[in-house]
């Protein structure tokens, strides 16, 4: 039963699971919270990545529980939080208890949420739970105007920010519009809550802002690709009424909810009708994916804007269901049908065929486990799953994630001796290159990133690549140019390099990032500059015994 969630070959198993495992292991090893990810893309920033996971407080459960149990517990916990949040929001709007319970259950079993579960979008699942809490906290602040209400709004906003930054950005705007519907005498407290949020988020927010221009996200502006791509407006309208197995196209609130929302809309005041008509028009325009503005393109998925529509539909459905309370049997029947419809949709979504992702060949894992050097591996068809790489501490040249550094994105073409378009991609090398090309890896470039082994599904005849094993239809080659680095200490946030001979310059086989600083003999700060291979380089003075490299993304506070 649990495999339906845990082993779908989706973002949960291929991205979030490895990241959770990596963070947990580094903390348990005593290395602290890893601000740098050594596993993928030959190393990449983790702190400024919006999906870094460790800034979200409730992810502490993964330190207590095994990752699989933690994921299931986290999903269940957030379903419960979503239920209570929606219930509180409805009660704040004078919805009866019985109706509040039914609609809150519907929110926590929403088809959109089931799509996130099916796709393994952990951050979206977590943010979903606190969306109604933010709206409730705003109403609560406008009514009570005290310190507690200020802090509650700040807290719930932070929980959304730390779980999914794009949902947070949309929520801040929609929540401000909600605030404007109330009397403005709470404006000072509303602003104070956001100032508190800003101050609390600043240590993470500034590194995120600093890093964004260095990432591949901006490639979206050069070659815009936004999803979903609708086959005309008819498909969009159809999907409002009929659920879809396409994660991003699944936008239906359910037929029963739509019928109840229609009744609720009719029963609403003129002011509410105008407010909701304007809101739904704007949300629909955004979700249709027809805008070309830069800010819109950077969101990449237009249906991220859809969650306020679900809230609106359920709010109106609550008003519609409230009108049936006097007819007890009809009230129970309609509520039950709505719940059954949502459960049926959820089952339909989770029954979507699981992606067939080949497991990492056991022989490859066993071979790599025997080598205790500090090295990286490049599998030309991505034969090592990121989950296995995390478990067995295998550092990869390739990777899968929402952001990569632009300098590494460009230079990785040298590693594979291939060309890929300057287009945003989740995978590096990009999926289309894996499928249609046979890479011819370049040993000197690979050596500059301490790549010791190249694993290929086809034979390679390349100088300095020596075959060491053929197993399970794979050829494992050793890079003759590989040199084991002189690392005395090697941790995610810290590297100590021994200086064994007099030299003017030290280049280490790690991708350059401006937040890495170097310290001569652990004391004197040195400027780290980018080498021609996009790696880290420093000038070395005489009598240097070692150089410490520290990842210090918080340095802006000291400058």
């Amino acid at each position: 039963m649990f495999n339906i969630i845990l082993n779908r070959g989706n973002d949960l198993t291929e991205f979030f699971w490895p990241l959770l495992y990596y963070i947990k292991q580094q903390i348990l090893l005593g290395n602290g919270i890893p601000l740098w990810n050594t596993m993928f893309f030959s190393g990449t920033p983790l702190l400024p990545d919006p999906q870094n996971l460790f800034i979200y407080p409730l992810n502490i459960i993964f330190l207590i529980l095994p990752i699989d149990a933690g994921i299931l517990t986290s999903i269940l916990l957030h379903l419960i939080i979503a239920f209570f949040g929606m219930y509180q929001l409805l009660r704040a709007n004078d919805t009866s208890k019985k109706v509040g319970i039914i609609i809150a259950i519907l929110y926590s079993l929403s088809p959109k949420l089931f799509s996130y579960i099916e796709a393994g979008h952990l951050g979206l699942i977590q943010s979903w739970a606190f969306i109604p809490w933010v709206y409730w906290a705003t109403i609560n602040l406008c009514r009570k105007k005290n310190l507690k209400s200020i802090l509650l709004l700040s807290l719930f906003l932070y929980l959304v920010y730390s779980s999914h930054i794009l949902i947070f950005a949309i929520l801040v705007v929609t929540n401000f519009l909600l605030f404007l519907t109330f009397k403005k005498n709470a404006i000072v407290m509303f602003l104070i809550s956001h100032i508190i949020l800003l101050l609390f988020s600043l240590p993470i927010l500034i590194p995120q802002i600093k890093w964004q221009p260095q990432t591949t996200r901006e490639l979206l502006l050069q070659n815009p690709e936004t999803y979903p791509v609708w086959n005309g407006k008819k498909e969009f309208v159809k999907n409002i009424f009929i659920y879809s197995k396409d994660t991003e196209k699944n936008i239906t609130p359910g037929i029963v909810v739509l019928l109840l929302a229609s009744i609720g809309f009719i029963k609403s005041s003129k002011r509410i009708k105008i407010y909701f008509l304007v809101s739904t028009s704007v949300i629909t325009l955004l979700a249709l994916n027809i805008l070309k503005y830069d800010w819109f393109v950077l969101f990449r998925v237009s249906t991220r804007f859809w969650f306020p529509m679900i809230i609106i539909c359920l709010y109106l459905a609550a008003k519609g269901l409230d009108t049936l309370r006097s007819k007890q049997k009809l009230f129970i029947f309609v509520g039950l049908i709505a719940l059954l419809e949502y459960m049926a949709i959820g089952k339909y979504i989770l029954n979507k065929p699981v992606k067939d992702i080949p497991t990492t060949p056991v022989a490859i894992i066993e071979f790599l486990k025997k080598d205790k050097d500090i090295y990286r591996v490049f599998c030309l068809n991505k034969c090592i799953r990121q989950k296995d790489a995390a478990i067995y501490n295998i550092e990869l040249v390739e990777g899968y994630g929402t952001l990569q550094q632009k300098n590494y994105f460009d230079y990785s073409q040298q590693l594979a001796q291939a060309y890929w378009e300057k287009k945003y991609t989740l995978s590096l090398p990009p999926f289309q290159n894996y499928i249609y090309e046979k890479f011819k890896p370049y040993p000197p470039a690979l050596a500059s990133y301490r790549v010791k082994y190249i694993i290929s599904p086809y034979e390679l005849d390349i100088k300095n690549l020596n075959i060491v094993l053929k197993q399970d239809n794979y050829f494992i080659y050793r890079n003759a140019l590989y040199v084991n680095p002189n690392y005395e200490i090697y941790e995610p946030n810290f590297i100590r390099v021994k200086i064994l001979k007099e030299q003017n310059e030290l280049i280490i086989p790690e991708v350059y990032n401006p937040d890495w600083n170097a310290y001569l003999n652990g004391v004197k700060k040195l400027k780290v500059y980018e080498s021609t291979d996009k790696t880290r380089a420093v000038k070395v003075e005489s009598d240097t015994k070692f150089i410490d490299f520290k990842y210090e993304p918080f340095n802006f506070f000291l400058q």
Side-chain angles (χ1 to χ4, degrees), residues 53-124:
L53 297 175
F54 59 75
I55 67 169
Y56 179 62
L58 296 188
N59 280 341
I60 196 170
I61 65 171
F62 293 103
L63 289 178
I64 303 165
L65 299 173
I67 303 300
D68 284 349
I71 288 169
L72 294 171
T73 303
S74 179
I75 292 173
L76 178 60
L77 175 64
H78 285 86
L79 291 180
I80 294 169
I81 294 170
F83 165 80
F84 283 107
M86 193 64 187
Y87 178 77
Q88 286 291 100
L89 177 60
L90 292 168
R91 291 290 289 153
N93 284 281
D94 301 321
T95 303
S96 67
K97 287 184 179 180
K98 289 181 180 178
V99 171
I101 290 171
I102 293 171
I103 299 300
I105 293 173
L106 292 176
Y107 178 76
S108 62
L109 298 177
S110 169
K112 195 64 189 168
L113 181 56
F114 268 100
S115 286
Y116 293 153
I117 294 172
E118 185 280 321
H121 293 165
L122 186 61
L124 288 167

Side-chain angles (χ1 to χ4, degrees), residues 155-211:
L155 171 64
F156 293 131
L157 281 168
Y158 177 78
L159 289 167
V160 177
Y161 162 71
S162 59
S163 55
H164 201 284
I165 197 166
L166 295 183
I167 296 298
F168 168 77
I170 299 165
L171 183 60
V172 166
V173 175
T174 57
N175 191 52
F176 177 68
L177 296 175
L178 173 65
F179 172 77
L180 291 179
T181 63
F182 291 88
K183 291 181 180 179
K184 311 307 181 294
N185 56 1
I187 184 66
V188 173
M189 292 187 172
F190 186 75
L191 291 175
I192 289 172
S193 69
H194 286 70
I195 291 170
I196 292 171
L197 168 70
L198 180 62
L199 292 174
F200 198 71
S201 306
L202 220 50
I204 312 298
L205 184 61
I206 291 180
Q208 287 176 339
I209 293 170
K210 279 177 59 184
W211 190 51

